[in-house]
Amino acid sequence: MGGTKTSKWFNDLSHLVMVADNINQLKSAIPENVTLIAVSKTKPNESIVMAYEAGQRHFGENKVQEVVSKYEALPKDIQWHLIGHLQTNKVKYIASFVYLIHAVESERLLQEIDKQASKHKRIIDVLLQFHIAQEETKFGLSFEESQEILKNVDAFPNVRIVGVMGMASFVEDQQQIRSEFQSLKGIFHSLKNDFFHEDNQFKVISMGMSGDYQIAIQEGSTMVRVGSAIFGSR
Ligand SMILES: *Cc1c(COP(=O)(O)O)cnc(C)c1O
């Protein structure tokens, strides 16, 4: 074996050990009622398998094409979360297998998910994404827009809205991040009260990423989406 080859092998191996270590550390740091989603976007299947071997089953991706090819190649008991912006015309590619769609931000998208879900005779769980950050670029609904969507929700029997999702601003100011998470939690409770009072399935608050998941958990997150703190930087 040449030196270069050996050191590549060694680098790959130490990367895989790091992934397993990170999963184990996060699992012990996160309370039991909080679901850890390993965000594997851009990462190779080998890294995902390593996390899988460490017991991880929930994985998050933000591109349809990527999640489809990973779904086809990897163990079928992985629960795939589509966490990024989803185009209406691409719902059909994931409708047969997706576990949870995090970023519903229009009635049109909800309608298309309903249509594709019914073709596969299943009910697809989704979250409504809210705009909680001060930054302009973040996607998501306003509270008023969500009210309009929820008034018509009976028209979509093959989707089940199970909670809310949001992303805090990418800033240093911890207090700002905290108050953005608090606003999402407030939205969750108010929707729960007005639309899902009797519905025990409406229980997910998806918030928190590598840089801010601790604050998110303190503020009531039930699902954290962690990428670089598991797999390294992208
Ligand atoms: C990439 C991504 C994450 C994970 O980000 P990290 O900072 O790597 O943990 C979480 N949520 C969404 C919507 C993402 O696109």
Side-chain angles (χ1 to χ4, degrees):
M1 236 197 280
T4 325
K5 219 172 177 180
T6 310
S7 69
K8 177 171 185 324
W9 176 82
F10 184 77
N11 282 339
D12 287 353
L13 185 68
S14 54
H15 175 72
L16 296 181
V17 172
M18 177 198 83
V19 168
D21 272 357
N22 290 340
I23 291 279
N24 288 325
Q25 279 178 23
L26 276 162
K27 278 201 294 203
S28 57
I30 288 174
E32 275 202 18
N33 63 318
V34 176
T35 305
L36 171 63
I37 301 173
V39 176
S40 47
K41 62 191 188 198
T42 77
K43 298 296 175 181
N45 289 350
E46 293 74 43
S47 302
I48 297 176
V49 167
M50 200 62 209
Y52 179 89
E53 291 296 334
Q56 182 64 26
R57 291 296 178 273
H58 293 272
F59 289 87
E61 292 283 337
N62 67 345
K63 293 218 164 68
V64 165
Q65 206 179 351
E66 192 172 340
V67 73
V68 167
S69 74
K70 286 174 173 174
Y71 165 74
E72 283 166 359
L74 290 164
K76 290 295 172 286
D77 61 339
I78 288 181
Q79 289 158 331
W80 291 105
H81 296 247
L82 207 290
I83 61 173
H85 178 67
L86 175 58
Q87 283 173 273
T88 313
N89 61 354
K90 293 192 174 163
V91 175
K92 58 178 176 284
Y93 302 116
I94 59 168
S96 69
F97 69 89
V98 70
Y99 178 77
L100 178 62
I101 296 175
H102 286 235
V104 170
E105 50 188 359
S106 71
E107 188 165 329
R108 209 165 73 87
L109 181 57
L110 207 59
Q111 186 175 18
E112 178 65 14
I113 296 170
D114 180 64
K115 180 176 151 195
Q116 298 300 331
S118 97
K119 279 189 188 166
H120 293 278
K121 299 189 167 46
R122 61 184 296 236
I123 292 172
I124 295 182
D125 286 350
V126 305
L127 305 176
L128 297 180
Q129 180 175 4
F130 284 89
H131 181 110
I132 54 168
Q134 288 182 3
E135 292 155 358
E136 285 291 325
T137 53
K138 296 274 155 77
F139 292 104
L141 296 162
S142 67
F143 186 67
E144 292 69 31
E145 288 166 332
S146 76
Q147 304 279 306
E148 289 307 308
I149 291 179
L150 288 167
K151 278 181 202 155
N152 301 331
V153 81
D154 290 344
F156 311 121
N158 287 75
V159 290
R160 184 167 65 171
I161 298 173
V162 297
V164 300
M165 180 269 209
M167 286 166 89
S169 297
F170 192 67
V171 291
E172 291 293 325
D173 182 350
Q174 309 278 295
Q175 194 48 49
Q176 183 183 339
I177 294 170
R178 189 178 295 282
S179 75
E180 290 173 1
F181 287 148
Q182 285 166 349
S183 78
L184 186 61
K185 191 186 179 183
I187 290 170
F188 171 83
H189 281 296
S190 138
L191 297 182
K192 173 91 190 158
N193 209 33
D194 293 350
F195 296 95
F196 298 98
H197 202 59
E198 312 269 277
D199 180 352
N200 292 328
Q201 300 306 315
F202 188 82
K203 60 182 177 193
V204 177
I205 304 178
S206 168
M207 61 184 187
M209 313 181 11
S210 294
D212 55 21
Y213 70 88
Q214 281 127 328
I215 304 175
I217 290 170
Q218 287 163 5
E219 297 307 330
S221 173
T222 70
M223 205 173 252
V224 290
R225 309 176 308 269
V226 180
S228 45
I230 295 173
F231 297 108
S233 58
R234 287 179 296 272

